[in-house]
Amino acid sequence: MTAAATLERHPGKGDSVVARVLRRSRRLLAFGVLLALLGVVVPDSGQLPARFALIKLDEVHGVDAADHTVWILALGSDARPGEAFLGSRSDAIQLVGINAKNHHAVTIGVPRDSYVDIPGHGRNKINAAMTVGGPQATAQAVANLIGIRPDYVFVTSFKGMINMVGGINGIRVKVTWGVTDQGQTFRPGISKLSGVEALAFSRIRHGLPRGDFDRSYDQGQVLKGGLATVKSKMVRKGFLERALERFARYTDTNLNPIELYRLAQTVLQVNPKLVRTCVLNGSVGYAGSASVVFPNVAAARALARDVRHDATVNHGC
């Protein structure tokens, strides 16, 4: 039925129909301007100080997945000033599944000291994979361990995370264990964290009951809190367009502007209340003189079978 026909049959609703059409037209126009802007910005992003990288891996379906589920490997680089953030160790490793149809998501934390096979480089801590083969090597190591291959890899630097959280005026995060470390004190409960605080919270492991495992859990909570904060701001006119423009300025990516926009829309389909935070289990031991985590591969594969096609945890994690 056309808008005119609707006006004839429901005259009292005429203003709302016209308003909706006009709002949609304005959004499409704004999106067109955004694409034009990103088309200029993205190719030149390498000239700016990159704080993020977003890589679509080869031979993946991404947002076109038939089961509506997209997998993103989120990595926090341990790069120090002057070091290449795509060639340093991964301080955080989170495999994130997103289902745009049922609005569920799951974060699977991989303890950074997990001792695994790194393709072509023997056995080592999984956080070393990026130093020998970049984000792609880390993605392959995670896929071999869990049994789910990521569609995308997102990498942030320390400075990138601080600015990302600061750019949305902080995030609200659930703190499970009270601890003081990294020059910060965190108490149990819901806390609003600044960029500096969110980075410190994501890196703490000393004082946590299960060390590396609990740190991975906290990192998942940061992702969940960040999503909830962004979702709450989506009611603001132009928020997504401004966020994408700023993101593109500081991001090296092989996604075109339309792919970037579609991926952002997919992520924003998630209901933060339906995000499940999981961590791969294992045992702590030694490989030579190095303290490592021996992951429970059978449990990791069981979790993968549960969540692979719908990003929904049905049997616990």
Side-chain angles (χ1 to χ4, degrees), residues 105-116:
V106 59
T107 65
I108 304 175
V110 181
R112 70 175 189 176
D113 289 341
S114 297
Y115 196 62
V116 301

Side-chain angles (χ1 to χ4, degrees), residues 57-92:
L57 298 178
D58 294 334
E59 300 179 1
V60 298
H61 298 291
V63 293
D64 296 319
D67 57 10
H68 305 281
T69 301
V70 175
W71 290 93
I72 303 172
L73 180 62
L75 304 176
S77 173
D78 196 24
R80 299 307 197 268
E83 297 178 346
F85 82 103
L86 292 183
S88 299
R89 290 179 178 267
S90 306
D91 197 61

Side-chain angles (χ1 to χ4, degrees), residues 111-173:
R112 70 175 189 176
D113 289 341
S114 297
Y115 196 62
V116 301
D117 287 318
I118 299 177
H121 298 279
R123 289 179 65 79
N124 204 336
K125 294 182 180 181
I126 198 168
N127 69 340
M130 202 154 67
T131 68
V132 295
Q136 294 85 349
T138 306
Q140 188 60 58
V142 169
N144 291 349
L145 171 61
I146 299 176
I148 295 174
R149 187 182 181 197
D151 299 299
Y152 304 89
V153 183
F154 174 68
V155 188
T156 181
S157 63
F158 288 162
K159 186 174 182 180
M161 181 174 181
I162 291 172
N163 282 276
M164 185 164 51
V165 174
I168 55 176
N169 297 317
I171 59 176
R172 293 176 64 81
V173 175

Side-chain angles (χ1 to χ4, degrees), residues 188-203:
I190 303 297
S191 296
K192 183 174 181 180
L193 306 182
S194 67
V196 171
E197 291 168 336
L199 176 62
F201 182 70
S202 299
R203 301 190 65 214

Side-chain angles (χ1 to χ4, degrees), residues 6-48:
T6 302
L7 283 171
E8 289 179 4
R9 297 183 64 175
H10 304 284
K13 297 182 180 180
D15 290 343
S16 62
V17 172
V18 173
R20 285 198 297 272
V21 172
L22 290 175
R23 283 197 298 270
R24 179 171 176 79
S25 298
R26 285 195 294 268
R27 285 198 297 269
L28 291 174
L29 177 60
F31 180 46
V33 173
L34 171 69
L35 292 184
L37 176 61
L38 291 180
V40 175
V41 172
V42 171
D44 296 330
S45 62
Q47 299 175 6
L48 295 167

